[in-house]
Amino acid sequence: KEVKKVTFVQCAGQRSDKEGHLDYCSGDCCLTSIKQAMYFKDQNPDIETEILFDDLRTPGAPGEDFYRSGQDKMVTFRKGKVSEVVAGSNGPVVKFKDMILDEDVEEEADLVVLATGMVANSGVNIDEVPQNEPGEWEVSVDSILNLNYRQGKDLPHLKYGFNDSHFICFPYETRRTGIYTCGPVRRPMDTQQAIDDATGAALKAIQEIENAKVGRAAHPRSGDLSYPIFRKEGCTQCKRCTVECPFGAIDEDERRFPVFNESRCRRCGTCMGACPVRVISFENYSCDTVGQQIKNVDMPDEFDEKPRILVLACENDAYPALDMAAQQGVTYSQFARVIPVRCLGSVNTIWVTDALNSGYDGIIL
Ligand code: SF4
Ligand code: SF4
């Protein structure tokens, strides 16, 4: 049958909380539908092409121009909420509500194209695998990576099944050191974005290989040679460090003492912050080194130059942000004292106690 009319249905099963639908926008379907509609017009300008949308989204700098190109080629854009596509006597029939005219419409088409969205194939969500006991996960037979991590054999997910990768703290990297995700497994994106993403991930992987060769840390403390050590005689075998390490870098020996895995460790200090008896430290970063910075200040008396505020700022984002603010001439109260920390996860509650005992009135993390 000759195709004379094509209807594109945007957000088909997307941006919807109905069961079986996707909650999110795939960010690419509107552009793809406009492109396909223009291909039809290039082949045969007499073909009627109609795009039914709820909200048309054309992200990126040239997005608006692309939409206008579609209009120039006589692609029709119609704001309509599609409820159903059914079989008619001459082909598919699209039922929708025209949102401008506020009326129910039934339209025949020769071809209906559904923009169904992207679903990541990220493997098993290890956070949803049942635990036999706290910190001991069942082995899932559906694993696609089969990693040897006590937390599970796959990568942690961030949201909607897409792999976790923190934009600031570890861009492109997953929480499994040495594994870099890119493209629509990380977030919905088009081909060009996926190519750029793959370039970023490849550069990160090269950096990691170079560092690993000489025993240095990967991002975010790229090149760091320090390493967490723990005082075994003080350890209570509580497993807090093992469970809290975001990168699965700590296992346990048969007596349940922590065993640190050097090649996985990112030197974030979260284990140090989590340890209730403060027996974990680094050569150049410990509960004591930060504690001394907190305590060794001349605190004015109770009613003078107050309030005194302690800011514990993550060196990956908050501290650079303060630095940039200062470069822009932004000022803040001289009563605030800023101390950089490796990660907010490394903040040990003893620092809060030290600060309050030293006369600080408040602490900002
Ligand atoms: S510093 Fe501690 S918490 Fe951070 S990655 Fe290394 S072992 Fe894990
Ligand atoms: S958190 Fe501290 S006390 Fe608990 S197992 Fe780890 S090192 Fe030992």
Side-chain angles (χ1 to χ4, degrees):
K1 182 183 178 186
E2 190 187 352
V3 173
K4 292 190 177 151
K5 175 164 184 184
V6 188
T7 302
F8 293 83
V9 178
Q10 299 312 108
C11 300
Q14 295 190 74
R15 299 172 60 224
S16 151
D17 53 11
K18 281 192 199 150
E19 200 183 339
H21 288 200
L22 305 177
D23 294 273
Y24 51 89
C25 164
S26 292
D28 175 53
C29 330
C30 288
L31 288 164
T32 305
S33 294
I34 297 170
K35 181 185 74 174
Q36 301 291 355
M38 288 198 286
Y39 283 167
F40 276 106
K41 286 289 187 187
D42 289 343
Q43 292 283 320
N44 179 0
D46 294 333
I47 290 183
E48 200 183 327
T49 53
E50 183 175 59
I51 296 182
L52 293 175
F53 65 93
D54 186 6
D55 299 302
L56 199 69
R57 294 178 168 181
T58 54
E64 185 71 13
D65 291 341
F66 198 62
Y67 162 68
R68 303 246 175 259
S69 315
Q71 285 184 318
D72 290 345
K73 291 200 176 187
M74 304 305 287
V75 175
T76 310
F77 294 89
R78 191 164 180 183
K79 190 167 171 66
K81 253 191 187 321
V82 176
S83 55
E84 227 181 340
V85 180
V86 294
S89 48
N90 292 320
V93 175
V94 183
K95 297 183 179 180
F96 63 97
K97 184 172 194 79
D98 188 305
M99 306 299 282
I100 304 294
L101 301 175
D102 193 25
E103 62 183 26
D104 293 323
V105 182
E106 290 189 16
E107 263 187 12
E108 285 189 342
D110 298 313
L111 193 63
V112 177
V113 182
L114 304 179
T116 50
M118 294 188 204
V119 178
N121 181 14
S122 300
V124 177
N125 185 357
I126 58 170
D127 292 329
E128 287 176 7
V129 175
Q131 295 179 36
N132 293 328
E133 60 171 290
E136 299 288 351
W137 281 261
E138 277 179 13
V139 174
S140 169
V141 290
D142 301 322
S143 169
I144 59 171
L145 286 171
N146 216 19
L147 302 173
N148 186 18
Y149 275 77
R150 65 191 296 287
Q151 287 86 353
K153 290 177 171 290
D154 284 273
L155 304 174
H157 292 187
L158 188 62
K159 205 171 180 189
Y160 302 137
F162 291 93
N163 278 144
D164 151 271
S165 169
H166 193 283
F167 179 66
I168 292 173
C169 295
F170 42 96
Y172 303 112
E173 296 169 62
T174 65
R175 274 188 281 159
R176 296 296 170 256
T177 303
I179 298 182
Y180 301 82
T181 49
C182 57
V185 76
R186 209 164 65 76
R187 65 171 178 79
M189 63 179 79
D190 64 20
T191 312
Q192 186 54 50
Q193 286 177 323
I195 292 169
D196 293 344
D197 213 43
T199 307
L203 289 171
K204 280 280 166 198
I206 292 167
Q207 185 190 48
E208 159 66 346
I209 290 166
E210 293 295 320
N211 278 324
K213 271 196 304 202
V214 285
R216 297 188 304 214
H219 195 88
R221 292 192 64 81
S222 184
D224 192 337
L225 285 164
S226 69
Y227 192 67
I229 42 175
F230 82 109
R231 197 164 45 79
K232 196 167 185 176
E233 58 275 22
C235 173
T236 58
Q237 297 128 298
C238 71
K239 291 176 39 170
R240 280 280 297 279
C241 55
T242 325
V243 172
E244 295 291 331
C245 172
F247 305 107
I250 310 175
D251 286 321
E252 288 139 25
D253 65 13
E254 61 290 345
R255 292 169 59 205
R256 307 183 88 165
F257 282 112
V259 177
F260 291 84
N261 187 325
E262 203 168 316
S263 58
R264 293 177 182 175
C265 175
R266 310 270 264 272
R267 280 71 161 176
C268 64
T270 301
C271 50
M272 187 184 98
C275 179
V277 287
R278 301 186 296 283
V279 294
I280 301 178
S281 62
F282 295 77
E283 208 174 33
N284 52 4
Y285 186 64
S286 67
C287 288
D288 196 42
T289 54
V290 177
Q292 290 300 330
Q293 292 176 62
I294 293 170
K295 285 186 272 190
N296 284 315
V297 288
D298 289 330
M299 196 56 73
D301 72 37
E302 189 65 18
F303 302 103
D304 194 21
E305 296 182 352
K306 287 276 189 169
R308 290 287 172 139
I309 302 295
L310 173 68
V311 182
L312 295 172
C314 171
E315 64 179 11
N316 298 312
D317 42 32
Y319 200 70
L322 286 169
D323 208 22
M324 283 174 69
Q327 286 172 28
Q328 301 295 321
V330 176
T331 56
Y332 55 85
S333 165
Q334 72 263 33
F335 299 147
R337 179 182 169 86
V338 182
I339 296 180
V341 295
R342 289 192 174 191
C343 166
L344 279 190
S346 74
V347 172
N348 195 292
T349 49
I350 191 68
W351 296 343
V352 176
T353 312
D354 283 347
L356 295 175
N357 286 342
S358 303
Y360 282 104
D361 301 291
I363 298 137
I364 297 176
L365 300 178

